[in-house]
Amino acid sequence: MIYPIVKFGNPVLDKPAEKVTVFDEALQKLIEDMFESMYAARGVGLAAPQIGISRRIAVVDVTFKEDPNAKLVLINPEIIHKEGRHSQSEGCLSIPDFRENVSRAQVVTVRAQDVTGKLFEKTGDDLLARAFQHETDHLNGKLYISHISALKRDLIKRKIRKLVKAGEW
Ligand code: NI
């Protein structure tokens, strides 16, 4: 099932999501649906709050279907190590048609649970490190625009307000 993507302005994106404690078939189905929804929206990462579900689940595939082994499920993820700094253009399915340069750690290790509840650690660099940080932020109620200058952020918010008024958001 493809869920519609929740956009900036919806309060579900601003609150910390709830920890996952039950690893059952319903969770597996939700994760399949999240991948399906992410691919349909042409994204490389999706957090559950972005489909209106305030739970600590994210899916990532920075290869966008190229490499089946690149599909990652992050449940209750925590960033346990960060290294370096890297600035690159970043966007978000919940803030469509906007992009800004965001400075993030270049190498990141995440500790998370998989779909069965098993703990694992994974280290990624560049785009994968960026995805780990971006998606973990979502689960903490944070969007990438919180990492850019107030000036740029206000400009984006003003443009979005106009789109909302025009019924285009
Ligand atoms: Ni996002």
Side-chain angles (χ1 to χ4, degrees):
M1 171 190 169
I2 294 172
Y3 286 87
I5 308 290
V6 164
K7 287 185 188 168
F8 174 84
N10 188 313
V12 73
L13 296 173
D14 301 324
K15 62 174 184 184
E18 283 186 25
K19 196 174 171 185
V20 174
T21 54
V22 179
F23 296 81
D24 58 3
E25 267 178 43
L27 179 68
Q28 280 181 27
K29 169 76 173 106
L30 175 61
I31 286 163
E32 278 170 34
D33 289 345
M34 283 179 65
F35 274 111
E36 212 185 323
S37 307
M38 178 185 82
Y39 290 133
R42 310 216 51 85
V44 294
L46 183 76
Q50 293 184 275
I51 53 166
I53 296 172
S54 193
R55 298 172 71 191
R56 303 187 80 81
I57 309 164
V59 296
V60 171
D61 176 3
V62 293
T63 74
F64 197 81
K65 299 185 193 174
E66 284 279 303
D67 177 5
N69 296 319
K71 282 175 81 173
L72 272 176
V73 177
L74 305 172
I75 299 174
N76 303 322
E78 272 180 77
I79 287 170
I80 56 168
H81 187 72
K82 289 184 186 185
E83 240 178 84
R85 214 67 204 162
H86 191 232
S87 181
Q88 201 172 313
S89 167
E90 193 169 318
C92 177
L93 294 176
S94 295
I95 315 176
D97 302 326
F98 290 93
R99 293 192 77 81
E100 283 295 335
N101 276 326
V102 181
S103 173
R104 301 258 194 197
Q106 201 203 343
V107 184
V108 164
T109 303
V110 76
R111 180 187 288 146
Q113 282 165 282
D114 69 10
V115 69
T116 68
K118 202 178 124 204
L119 267 172
F120 68 96
E121 288 178 12
K122 184 151 178 87
T123 300
D125 60 11
D126 298 326
L127 184 56
L128 187 56
R130 189 164 292 274
F132 287 164
Q133 293 168 91
H134 182 113
E135 302 312 330
T136 306
D137 271 359
H138 269 304
L139 303 180
N140 293 327
K142 246 175 124 171
L143 297 170
Y144 81 87
I145 55 171
S146 67
H147 297 291
I148 64 176
S149 73
L151 201 71
K152 283 181 177 165
R153 184 166 53 248
D154 289 346
L155 190 64
I156 290 179
K157 285 185 179 176
R158 217 176 313 144
K159 285 179 180 165
I160 291 173
R161 271 199 294 275
K162 272 189 194 160
L163 290 167
V164 170
K165 266 191 197 156
E168 288 166 11
W169 188 253

